[in-house]
Amino acid sequence: MSALPQTMLNYITRRDHRVMLRLNSWRAPRWIRLWMICATRGGDGWLWYAMSAVILLFGGPERFSAVSAAAIAATVGVLLFMWLKKVTHRRRPCAIASHCWSTLLPPDQFSFPSGHSITAFAFAVPFSLFYPSLVAGLMFCAVSIALSRVITGMHFLSDVIAGAAIGTILGYCAFVFYS
């Protein structure tokens, strides 16, 4: 690896570890802990399945295109993050340092990129583009899920930023394809 990419990677890693150490020792207020646990559990999939069902029932003439776009974006996202995790082998923050309040177990052993973030944005972006009146709620959910992965010690900040970017790109491309 050349000097510039290695220097950037080292910089990102140092910053990620600094944020991780601060968050792992932060005794968040009870309401934030509850919000983060609910958000991360919502990101396990049930929130997006429920939202897809509601859109299929009440989404009007664009409902099949909207759900298809989100489903395709999320499926490609899952395949992509599974491959990237196998390639990068980045350890999770919870495997490096213990967390002071979160006892969640990671779904797999590798951290990069955040699958929850990819999936959240892969669903939220096409749904937001098909139904602009829902953008605030959808983005709140997606950002909450991504943030929860960092605050609960499951991912580094760069993992969720990369995941959100990948999910956004996939969601937008799927929207363009289906609109």
Side-chain angles (χ1 to χ4, degrees):
M1 189 178 271
S2 68
L4 183 60
Q6 187 61 48
T7 302
M8 287 178 58
L9 186 59
N10 289 340
Y11 175 77
I12 291 168
T13 301
R14 281 192 313 273
R15 298 293 269 186
D16 275 345
H17 282 257
R18 238 183 272 146
V19 170
M20 173 201 69
L21 291 172
R22 282 188 182 163
L23 287 175
N24 280 5
S25 63
W26 178 47
R27 194 70 131 162
R30 183 169 164 72
W31 69 271
I32 290 178
R33 286 185 272 165
L34 182 61
W35 171 27
M36 293 296 104
I37 297 295
C38 289
T40 210
R41 288 297 174 222
D44 288 344
W46 68 265
L47 174 66
W48 305 116
Y49 303 141
M51 195 161 299
S52 296
V54 169
I55 287 175
L56 283 172
L57 289 171
F58 306 108
E62 295 182 318
R63 67 184 182 265
F64 295 116
S65 295
V67 171
S68 296
I72 291 295
T75 301
V76 172
V78 167
L79 295 173
L80 187 58
F81 85 69
M82 289 171 62
W83 176 75
L84 284 169
K85 284 183 184 224
K86 286 180 184 176
V87 171
T88 61
H89 287 98
R90 186 177 196 190
R91 290 179 28 186
R92 290 180 178 271
C94 58
I96 296 169
S98 62
H99 198 280
C100 72
W101 60 266
S102 177
T103 58
L104 294 173
L105 295 175
D108 56 52
Q109 68 184 49
F110 300 121
S111 184
F112 183 85
S114 167
H116 278 73
S117 299
I118 289 175
T119 305
F121 283 88
F123 271 98
V125 168
F127 284 165
S128 294
L129 293 169
F130 277 104
Y131 305 100
S133 63
L134 300 178
V135 71
L138 289 165
M139 287 301 130
F140 175 79
C141 290
V143 169
S144 292
I145 290 166
L147 184 62
S148 76
R149 303 304 286 169
V150 177
I151 291 179
T152 59
M154 294 290 109
H155 285 283
F156 292 104
L157 182 59
S158 62
D159 299 338
V160 299
I161 291 170
I166 292 167
T168 298
I169 291 166
L170 292 173
Y172 180 76
C173 290
F175 166 76
V176 169
F177 182 79
Y178 278 95
S179 60

